[in-house]
Amino acid sequence: MRGGGRATGGPNPEAVREDLQRRVTALLAAHDPATTDPITFHRARFDAGLAWVYYPEGLGGLGADRELQPFVDALFEQAGAPGNNAEINGIGLGMAAPTILACGTPEQRRRYLRPLWAGEEIWCQLFSEPGAGSDLAAVSTRAVRDGDDWIVNGQKVWTSVAHKAQRAILVARTDPDRPKHAGLTYFICDMTDPGVDVRPLRQITGEAEFNEVFLTDVRIPDANRLGQEGDGWRVANTTLNNERVAIGGRPVPRESGILGAVTRTWRNNADKHTPELHDRLLRLWVEAEAARLAGTRLRQRVAAGAPGPETSALKLPFARINQQLSGFELELLGEDGLRYDDWTMVRPDRVDFAGRDAGYRYLRAKGNSIEGGTSEIMRNIVSERVLGLPPEARADKDIAWKDLIR
């Protein structure tokens, strides 16, 4: 970390922490969280390099070790610092930001990262389509060059927080004459532009977390292209690898999330215990703990570089264990578990597994094996790109997209 010379006193971890604590203390002294407007506070935190401390200097960070982020976050939390809409802006913070950092121009990084961190701009993800969910490379949304702009037409689906977003990361087809993976380009889309139509999609839970988005003659400046024309597949994989970390690799305490909710249900229903159920819960507890520790190892790997295909191996057990735990809970509760009183059309800001009832957990967990890439696709990625097994035969790999049967 730099700042008028090397302020850390060398690589000593304790000296680095002391330096970070001094920086946090100085920022809090200059911007009292109790009296400073939240946006102003977050802009100051970004400018001080205390937003993402592992990002480069000038882009919200200090070039520090990624493992120091929880330490800095805890200092701000203890001081009563305001939140930056992280519960709503998970796509922006966990997916758009690292993609912009890795693939964006210097101008794009300066333009988008600060308001994204400060919670001024909420982001969504325009990837999946009705005919291209698991097979993202098959997207048919078209972007046609028109001078310094691109004109985009198509439909996207399963788009979380699109109804609140100001910006979106978008993958569109720019060259139908090339094979499907080669003819894609990645854009930043203004969700407030004419031609962007957001409609809610009601889920099995009765809620509408996400949406379908129709794009009709939407103009996107070429300056909002992220990466080179035709390089969208590579840029999208940067996003997807970070998405799987965001879904399955967050740092979590032991016995949290669905596991914590289910163990509370178990302890509160001692009259329903059986040896068979006890054995099943212990097995699930051990699997969940193993997955949690694997997440810790993955974050250490990410700290040393960009996330790779190994992220799929973390997302897989997250989905499976959540579904098995929620099914176990319903079986434990019997007919009481079938009661579901939350069938209300609302637009929640976030998914709250632990704070809801067993019926909600069971229904919502069904989506875990779909969102962020289906479990079937995750298994293919792990087998081919992690284990080095022979790939599946792909008849469409070298065929122009326009010639594919759809």
Side-chain angles (χ1 to χ4, degrees):
M1 297 185 297
R2 294 192 300 272
R6 195 165 182 81
T8 62
N12 185 312
E14 189 58 37
V16 174
R17 286 176 175 261
E18 290 176 0
D19 175 68
L20 287 171
Q21 188 152 15
R22 284 195 296 270
R23 292 171 184 260
V24 171
T25 300
L27 178 65
L28 292 170
H31 300 84
D32 184 352
T35 57
T36 305
D37 170 75
I39 296 296
T40 302
F41 183 89
H42 287 303
R43 288 172 177 168
R45 180 173 169 180
F46 183 95
D47 294 341
L50 297 169
W52 298 287
V53 294
Y54 52 95
Y55 272 35
E57 293 184 47
L59 297 175
L62 296 167
D65 192 308
R66 189 185 187 116
E67 293 298 305
L68 290 168
Q69 188 66 48
F71 170 72
V72 172
D73 290 343
L75 293 176
F76 281 109
E77 184 176 352
Q78 292 164 11
N84 64 338
N85 282 328
E87 68 281 359
I88 302 175
N89 207 17
I91 292 171
L93 295 167
M95 295 156 59
T99 306
I100 294 168
L101 179 66
C103 305
T105 64
E107 292 77 15
Q108 288 169 336
R109 294 170 187 165
R110 286 192 295 269
R111 162 61 185 87
Y112 292 113
L113 289 178
R114 190 173 186 251
L116 191 161
W117 160 259
E120 297 175 74
E121 294 179 346
I122 306 300
W123 289 65
C124 65
Q125 178 191 32
L126 299 176
F127 278 24
S128 294
E129 297 179 7
S134 298
D135 187 8
L136 177 61
V139 297
S140 59
T141 293
R142 289 279 281 119
V144 178
R145 189 70 180 258
D146 182 32
D148 292 333
D149 294 339
W150 295 83
I151 301 177
V152 181
N153 286 277
Q155 179 188 358
K156 298 293 183 174
V157 76
W158 319 129
T159 309
S160 300
V161 303
H163 55 294
K164 295 189 174 183
Q166 290 79 42
R167 305 282 171 189
I169 45 179
L170 164 70
V171 174
R173 188 161 303 282
T174 51
D175 190 349
D177 294 321
R178 301 186 68 190
K180 61 182 184 180
H181 292 84
L184 301 172
T185 303
Y186 196 114
F187 298 96
I188 296 171
C189 176
D190 188 332
M191 293 293 289
T192 66
D193 276 348
V196 179
D197 181 17
V198 179
R199 305 178 191 176
L201 282 176
R202 197 172 189 189
Q203 302 155 238
I204 193 174
T205 60
E207 301 176 346
E209 294 168 26
F210 37 60
N211 313 265
E212 55 185 346
V213 179
F214 295 85
L215 305 164
T216 306
D217 293 333
V218 178
R219 283 191 170 270
I220 298 180
D222 187 58
N224 285 2
R225 172 175 42 82
L226 204 59
Q228 297 298 314
E229 180 180 346
D231 197 29
W233 182 249
R234 182 189 66 84
V235 181
N237 271 282
T238 301
T239 303
L240 294 174
N241 286 333
N242 281 284
E243 178 181 25
R244 289 155 196 162
V245 173
I247 291 176
R250 297 185 185 97
V252 293
R254 177 177 291 179
E255 205 172 285
S256 58
I258 283 189
L259 178 61
V262 173
T263 53
R264 284 194 299 273
T265 299
W266 172 263
R267 292 168 183 136
N268 293 333
N269 289 272
D271 58 315
K272 296 181 171 66
H273 293 184
T274 68
E276 189 270 337
L277 288 175
H278 184 259
D279 181 67
R280 280 172 56 193
L281 180 59
L282 283 178
R283 290 176 183 274
L284 287 168
W285 194 98
V286 169
E287 288 188 40
E289 179 64 6
R292 187 183 73 85
L293 294 175
T296 300
R297 293 187 62 188
L298 175 65
R299 286 189 297 278
Q300 293 169 347
R301 184 181 180 89
V302 170
E310 298 85 357
T311 57
S312 298
L314 189 60
K315 198 259 179 184
L316 260 173
F318 167 81
R320 178 181 58 80
I321 293 169
N322 272 5
Q323 291 173 353
Q324 290 179 343
L325 279 167
S326 61
F328 171 89
E329 185 178 28
L330 247 64
E331 185 175 341
L332 170 67
L333 291 173
E335 62 182 26
D336 290 338
L338 299 178
R339 296 192 178 97
Y340 181 53
D341 300 325
D342 293 337
W343 187 263
T344 306
M345 173 56 174
V346 295
R347 312 298 304 274
D349 291 338
R350 61 190 179 95
V351 178
D352 181 15
F353 280 120
R356 303 289 292 276
D357 61 25
Y360 172 85
R361 284 189 282 273
Y362 178 76
L363 294 173
R364 182 57 183 82
K366 298 304 179 188
N368 290 160
S369 53
I370 302 173
E371 56 199 349
T374 66
S375 292
E376 291 78 9
I377 295 297
M378 297 298 101
R379 292 187 183 96
N380 279 355
I381 293 173
V382 170
S383 66
E384 296 175 17
R385 298 175 60 193
V386 179
L387 301 179
L389 298 178
E392 284 188 342
R394 294 182 173 90
D396 61 355
K397 186 175 181 181
D398 299 315
I399 301 174
W401 179 83
K402 65 180 177 59
D403 297 326
L404 296 177
I405 298 174
R406 291 184 293 280

